[in-house]
Amino acid sequence: MTLSLLISIVLALIVIAPWLRLKKHPDAVVDNQLIDINIDVYKSRLRELSTDKQEGVISESHYQAQKTELERQLLDAEQVTTAMQPPSLVSRLMLILWIPVLAGSAYMIISDRSNVFTLWQEQQVVGQVADDLLMGKIDEPPEWAMKEGLALFSAMQTNVHHNAHDPQRWLKLAEMFLSFGATESGLEALSRAYRLSPDNEDVAMMYAQTSFFALGGSLDDNIRRTLQGVLDSSPNKEEAQMMMAMGEARAGNYEQAQEWIAKMRSSFEQRAGDYSHEISGLDNLAADITNQQAQAADGFDVTVTVIPSLLPLIVAEDVLFVAIRAAEGGAPYAAKRVPISNLKQGRIAVSLSNADVMMPDRTLQSAQASGEQLVVTARISRSGSANSQSGDLSTNPIMLANEQQQVNIEINQQVP
């Protein structure tokens, strides 16, 4: 605030500097530019008269009369201007005073700093507790600090941002966010921790797992890269292999999913000890994926295209929903939630089958056999909600023929 006041005073002095310079001759100031203009006009008009006389347009006597008149006008032309009267000393002092006063008033009106003052007070009360929690010196805050829950939460966030280079602090902050169900904020904190320590396998796995389940068991490019980095350093990491298998199956890449299961099964068979329970679980998973693959063969391949004018509206956090439902409306027969990161050059391919049905007894084949008219819809949601909201990007429903298995659909409008 002191710096702002000093700058305001300096600017005020710059503004009134012309008033502070006194003129040596305030009553008569020669305007040389005005004299030059009058002379230029005289010479130009005189050349015109000379041209007219040579061409016989005017006589010699008329020429002399006009020349004499031009000379008289030049002599009578104004050559001095009255200087601006400088303001009084009182006016100058008032201007110097009011500019910083008005600037300060505007600052106080438009800038409410009460939140900053509150933050400073919270830092004084629970700042040390927040630092101990983030550094792992204590596992839980004291009872008195628990009563200041919001203050402690704010102090921890501030502490992490003041030490933004420390991955351990970001990891602790992510754990706190996730414990309160703030998945989006937790993922952001985990991503920062992972970028700061990409070689830390525990951080990478926590980031990949949280992202994987936040996307409903789907793999996007970011999760794939993270898991691949873990597998490069630890090829037999079961958690990473299991996520790859489940993600590939979710994406319809059944052969790749079976390959990951085979790797895990081989790893367990080569270990000493009894791993029959784990191997049995993998066999059940492989059978389930085989069943999904068989169901997908009777499903529909949907190619979703986004028109170029809507592509700038898409952000990385958006989610694509593709559904098959009755033309009359109601709950969809089958639906799939796909990360928008799978969108390549405005196009994405999605497979919908009985593996994606909402209820086991409402299959796509049973709906078609009963004569139900089915339609395909697609929607890009920014909120991630299954219900349509304002701002979402959507398509017009496309009717499905009884024997049709491939559908092309275009997202071409925004929900008002």
Side-chain angles (χ1 to χ4, degrees), residues 215 218-221 304-306 310-311 313-322 337-348 350 378-382 393 411:
L215 293 176
S218 299
L219 292 176
D220 61 8
D221 293 340
V304 182
T305 305
V306 184
L310 295 182
L311 288 176
L313 302 180
I314 299 175
V315 297
E317 293 77 17
D318 288 352
V319 177
L320 173 66
F321 288 94
V322 182
R337 185 180 189 270
V338 184
I340 202 62
S341 58
N342 293 343
L343 186 72
K344 304 299 182 184
Q345 296 180 347
R347 179 172 296 182
I348 185 171
V350 180
R379 179 174 56 86
I380 296 178
S381 170
R382 177 156 297 180
L393 308 180
I411 294 179

Side-chain angles (χ1 to χ4, degrees), residues 12 18 22 42 59 142 155 164 188 196 342 374 379 393:
L22 296 178
Y42 166 77
S59 62
E188 176 62 25
L196 290 169
N342 293 343
L374 301 179
R379 179 174 56 86
L393 308 180

Side-chain angles (χ1 to χ4, degrees), residues 397-416:
I398 301 296
M399 295 289 183
L400 281 177
N402 287 335
E403 297 182 356
Q404 183 179 6
Q405 287 189 317
Q406 293 185 346
V407 185
N408 295 323
I409 192 169
E410 184 178 68
I411 294 179
N412 54 12
Q413 58 190 332
Q414 186 173 24
V415 178

Side-chain angles (χ1 to χ4, degrees), residues 77-391:
E78 183 178 359
Q79 299 182 11
V80 296
T81 59
T82 303
M84 180 185 67
Q85 294 296 325
S88 64
L89 180 61
V90 175
S91 299
R92 299 173 187 174
L93 293 177
M94 288 183 63
L95 184 61
I96 294 175
L97 174 65
W98 276 106
I99 286 182
V101 169
L102 293 175
S105 299
Y107 176 82
M108 297 303 296
I109 291 173
I110 66 176
S111 181
D112 182 7
R113 313 303 294 174
S114 58
N115 291 335
V116 177
F117 299 146
T118 301
L119 177 62
W120 290 344
Q121 292 174 351
E122 293 172 350
Q123 290 288 329
Q124 292 178 349
V125 176
V126 294
Q128 187 58 49
V129 176
D131 187 76
D132 292 341
L133 283 170
L134 293 171
M135 293 301 295
K137 296 180 180 179
I138 57 176
D139 295 329
E140 59 182 25
E143 184 177 352
W144 64 268
M146 290 292 293
K147 298 179 181 179
E148 303 289 339
L150 292 178
L152 181 61
F153 191 86
S154 176
M156 291 180 68
Q157 288 181 284
T158 305
N159 184 293
V160 171
H161 284 279
H162 285 170
N163 300 274
H165 61 282
D166 188 352
Q168 186 63 31
R169 294 176 191 263
W170 282 110
L171 187 61
K172 289 288 186 179
L173 183 64
E175 293 174 351
M176 182 186 65
F177 277 130
L178 295 174
S179 66
F180 283 97
T183 305
E184 185 175 348
S185 299
L187 281 174
E188 176 62 25
L190 278 174
S191 68
R192 290 175 180 263
Y194 174 64
R195 289 198 298 268
L196 290 169
S197 56
D199 298 330
N200 190 319
E201 192 172 288
D202 294 333
V203 174
M205 284 302 303
M206 184 176 179
Y207 175 48
Q209 287 176 347
T210 305
S211 302
F212 180 77
F213 291 112
L215 293 176
S218 299
L219 292 176
D220 61 8
D221 293 340
N222 193 33
I223 300 176
R224 287 179 185 274
R225 286 194 299 269
T226 305
L227 291 176
Q228 192 58 55
V230 173
L231 291 171
D232 288 342
S233 58
S234 301
N236 295 323
K237 188 76 172 179
E238 289 87 3
E239 295 88 345
Q241 291 176 335
M242 180 61 72
M243 278 192 286
M244 292 292 284
M246 295 174 62
E248 296 292 5
R250 178 78 175 178
N253 303 322
Y254 302 107
E255 294 181 1
Q256 291 90 330
Q258 295 285 16
E259 290 177 0
W260 285 112
I261 293 176
K263 289 180 181 180
M264 285 186 285
R265 197 178 194 284
S266 176
S267 176
F268 281 120
E269 290 175 344
Q270 295 175 5
R271 297 180 187 179
D274 183 13
Y275 291 96
S276 58
H277 179 71
E278 288 80 0
I279 294 175
S280 176
L282 290 175
D283 291 340
N284 292 334
L285 179 59
D288 184 57
I289 292 176
T290 301
N291 184 42
Q292 293 180 28
Q293 187 174 7
Q295 291 179 337
D298 297 329
F300 299 88
D301 295 326
V302 182
T303 301
V304 182
T305 305
V306 184
I307 63 174
S309 61
L310 295 182
L311 288 176
L313 302 180
I314 299 175
V315 297
E317 293 77 17
D318 288 352
V319 177
L320 173 66
F321 288 94
V322 182
I324 298 178
R325 64 180 74 239
E328 291 79 8
Y333 280 90
K336 182 169 284 188
R337 185 180 189 270
V338 184
I340 202 62
S341 58
N342 293 343
L343 186 72
K344 304 299 182 184
Q345 296 180 347
R347 179 172 296 182
I348 185 171
V350 180
S351 176
L352 284 175
S353 65
N354 289 330
D356 305 302
V357 297
M358 308 300 290
M359 291 182 287
D361 58 338
R362 296 180 76 241
T363 64
L364 297 173
Q365 285 71 28
S366 65
Q368 289 183 323
S370 64
E372 186 82 61
Q373 179 62 63
L374 301 179
V375 296
V376 181
T377 60
R379 179 174 56 86
I380 296 178
S381 170
R382 177 156 297 180
S383 64
S385 172
N387 298 321
S388 179
Q389 297 183 1
S390 177

